[in-house]
Every structure is written in C-alpha cells, then in structure tokens.
Amino acid sequence: MFETFATAYVQAFAVILPAFAVGILSIGAYKSGLPLRQSATAVAVATVALGLWHPLVALLAKAGILMPPLAVTDPPYALMPLIGGAAFLWGLGRLTVTGRAILGSLGHAELISIQSLRLMGGVFLLGWLMGALPWQFALPAGIGDILAGIAAIQAMRALNRGDANAEDLVRRASYISLIDFAIAVSLGIATSAGALQFMAFDNPNVINAYPLALFPEYFVPVFIAFQLFSLGALRRNSQRLAAV
C-alpha cells in the first residue's frame, strides 16, 4: 500500500518542485533586465534539464542501477545523480553570465522559498509507520526535513516583514537544511542493503529503489543547489556591506 501511495506522491512532487524552481528562475529572469531571448533561453534550458532529469532517474532507479554498491570497490552510482545534479545546477547558476544575472536579481525570500517544500520529507515518517522504512532512517530524515521546511518558512516570513534578524534566520534555515541532507544521505546508505550497511538488517531501506529514489536522486540536488544559491547571496551581501 505504501509503495502505491509513494509512487503517486513522488510523481506529484516531480511536477511541483521543478515548476517551483522554474517559476523562481522566471521571476529572476524578468527582474534581471536581460534581453528577452536570453532570458527565455535560460529558463528553457533549466526547464528541459529538469524535465529530462526526472524520467532518466526514474528509468535508472527501476533498473536497479542506483542502489548502493554491493562491494566497496563498486562505483557509487547512487551518489552520482545526487552530487552531479547539484553541481550541474549550481554551475548553470554561478558559472554562466546569464545564470549570475538571474540569481543576482532574486531576493533572499525568493531563493529560500523553495526550501519550504522540504516538508514533503514527512512522508518518510508515514513509511516508517506503515513498516516500509526502517526507523533508523525514517525518523531523523523525516523530522529533519520537516524542521528544515519550517525553518525556511520562518526565514521567508521574516524577510517579507523586514525583520532585523531575517538574514540570521536564513542562515539558520540553510544550516539546518545542509545538516539534514548530510544525516539523511549517510543514514540512507547505512540502512540500505550493500557494502556499507551496518544497521536495519531486519528491514533494509528502499530509499534508492523506485519510487523513493526520486528523493535523493532528483529532489535533493535541486534543494541543495538553491541552498547554495541562498548562502552565496548572503555571503555577497555581507561582502558588500563590509566594503561600504
């Protein structure tokens, strides 16, 4: 039953999350003052990349290619879309002139807003309650995602109100988010059948099997990229203030 629900759940967010990301980038493109053709091309590239990424990851997950390595010497295919995807999106945003112009036009509230969708990770708790996921992973990962989503919402509201501590809340939300990623990925590997499993032997994790594989291989890279964009914007703002 959980697999049926999880399939529908991830398919819904496979539309919601990239649409949210493209919407943010479209706002930045509009505010950037770039020529229309240049802006449209940048948004189209992001849309196509995110659109193709989903079916590719789904195909690889269904084929079992994204499972943790069975031997320490096996290639870590499960980490490649996660790390490579985040690096690719970050590169588009920070290593291209158009990407820097678009991101530079976005406010902190816009950049951090996408992290509110981290609440979607609460589904791990449901998976644990239904016996589909080991508690050693589901509890810290699910609770961590919920806390990250709440922290992002609090930071976004503070920014919109113009609170004096708004940027501090953005940093807090970012740190909670990155720590949650580190814990969830580590525990995901440690609880999944493979060379590095050392817990949950009675109920191995299925986070790298379809449909849940879309979390670490598709959703998380998008979240990480925007988290880095947000932290970068804070750093540049601090540098500007220090230079005044």
Side-chain angles (χ1 to χ4, degrees):
M1 181 181 294
F2 177 72
E3 183 177 354
T4 301
F5 171 78
T7 299
Y9 191 83
V10 299
Q11 286 176 346
F13 276 101
V15 174
I16 295 171
L17 180 61
F20 202 121
V22 170
I24 293 173
L25 296 177
S26 298
I27 293 172
Y30 174 77
K31 293 167 63 176
S32 69
L34 292 171
L36 179 59
R37 183 174 181 178
Q38 187 175 357
S39 298
T41 299
V43 173
V45 168
T47 303
V48 171
L50 292 172
L52 293 177
W53 191 349
H54 168 221
L56 176 60
V57 166
L59 181 65
L60 294 174
K62 289 178 180 178
I65 296 175
L66 300 178
M67 298 301 290
L70 296 177
V72 177
T73 55
D74 290 343
Y77 293 119
L79 295 178
M80 292 179 183
L82 191 158
I83 298 174
F88 173 72
L89 293 175
W90 180 86
L92 286 179
R94 295 303 308 155
L95 301 182
T96 65
V97 174
T98 302
R100 288 195 297 271
I102 291 174
L103 292 176
S105 301
L106 290 168
H108 295 315
E110 293 159 335
L111 288 170
I112 199 69
S113 63
I114 195 170
Q115 304 299 332
S116 63
L117 293 181
R118 292 286 298 282
L119 293 170
M120 64 192 288
V123 72
F124 297 144
L125 300 179
L126 178 61
W128 165 61
L129 290 172
M130 298 180 70
L133 293 173
W135 68 265
Q136 296 96 327
F137 166 79
L139 289 182
I143 294 172
D145 277 347
I146 291 172
L147 292 177
I150 292 173
I153 292 171
Q154 291 173 335
M156 185 172 57
R157 288 178 174 175
L159 287 165
N160 289 331
R161 291 193 302 262
D163 294 352
N165 66 336
E167 289 194 5
D168 290 335
L169 291 179
V170 173
R171 289 189 182 87
R172 185 191 70 170
S174 299
Y175 297 149
I176 291 174
S177 178
L178 294 176
I179 291 172
D180 172 54
F181 285 139
I183 292 174
V185 171
S186 299
L187 291 177
I189 295 172
T191 56
S192 297
L196 300 178
Q197 182 183 14
F198 64 86
M199 61 176 75
F201 291 100
D202 60 332
N203 186 23
N205 205 343
V206 293
I207 189 63
N208 287 96
Y210 186 83
L212 292 182
L214 288 179
F215 273 90
E217 314 298 355
Y218 186 44
F219 301 149
V220 169
V222 176
F223 284 129
I224 289 178
F226 272 88
Q227 201 70 75
L228 295 177
F229 294 153
S230 181
L231 285 171
L234 287 175
R235 184 179 64 255
R236 290 188 295 276
N237 187 53
S238 296
Q239 291 172 344
R240 284 194 298 267
L241 293 174
V244 175

